[in-house]
Amino acid sequence: MKIAVTYENGEIFQHFGHTEQFKVYEVENGAVVSSQVVDTNGSGHGALAGVLTALNTDVLICGGIGGGAQMALAQAGIKLYGGVSGNADAAVAAFLEGKLEFNPNVQCNHHDHHHGEDHVCGDHGCGSGHCGKNH
């Protein structure tokens, strides 16, 4: 099994569509046998699902993620554990122990408040322009 985590400086990066790295863990018999940090080359939401598919990823652990990216992962057969924060290695260890706390209803809500960027969700490929809000 392969587990990917959105990654920055040892921590789980909180914006899936902006992650510059994944840490990919190879798991055999319930234990991590190897891991590597993979550069995403600045891909957007949709392309990141393709990166994970190319890596033969089974599971993604991440922070915030939009509805479009969630659908792309589901279509690729990648199981999502979103809304997770903290140390990446610790999250994978908790996952393997069946103790990972995650939010099954996590949405791309970082667009509801401004953090120095003036952009619309649709500009970076996560759907209708209003992530997480069904019309």
Side-chain angles (χ1 to χ4, degrees):
M1 172 170 62
K2 281 192 179 175
I3 301 170
V5 181
T6 52
Y7 190 74
E8 184 178 62
N9 298 326
E11 300 288 306
I12 299 168
F13 188 69
Q14 290 302 298
H15 296 249
F16 174 80
H18 295 275
T19 193
E20 293 182 6
Q21 295 179 319
F22 289 113
K23 188 166 183 181
V24 181
Y25 300 80
E26 183 78 42
V27 176
E28 292 177 10
N29 300 320
V32 174
V33 294
S34 67
S35 65
Q36 65 178 357
V37 175
V38 177
D39 203 337
T40 65
N41 298 316
S43 303
H45 289 164
L48 290 171
V51 169
L52 292 171
T53 301
L55 292 168
N56 296 315
T57 306
D58 300 294
V59 171
L60 171 68
I61 298 172
C62 69
I65 184 169
Q70 290 180 11
M71 283 189 286
L73 293 171
Q75 288 170 349
I78 297 170
K79 193 159 173 61
L80 170 67
Y81 293 84
V84 182
S85 61
N87 181 275
D89 294 349
V92 171
F95 172 78
L96 294 174
E97 293 170 10
K99 297 177 182 172
L100 181 66
E101 292 188 22
F102 67 99
N103 178 359
N105 300 312
V106 69
Q107 288 292 327
C108 172
N109 61 5
H110 63 272
H111 302 284
D112 294 340
H113 58 87
H114 292 284
H115 44 85
E117 295 177 38
D118 192 16
H119 66 268
V120 176
C121 198
D123 289 348
H124 54 253
C126 81
S128 66
H130 300 286
C131 292
K133 296 181 179 87
N134 295 323
H135 296 288

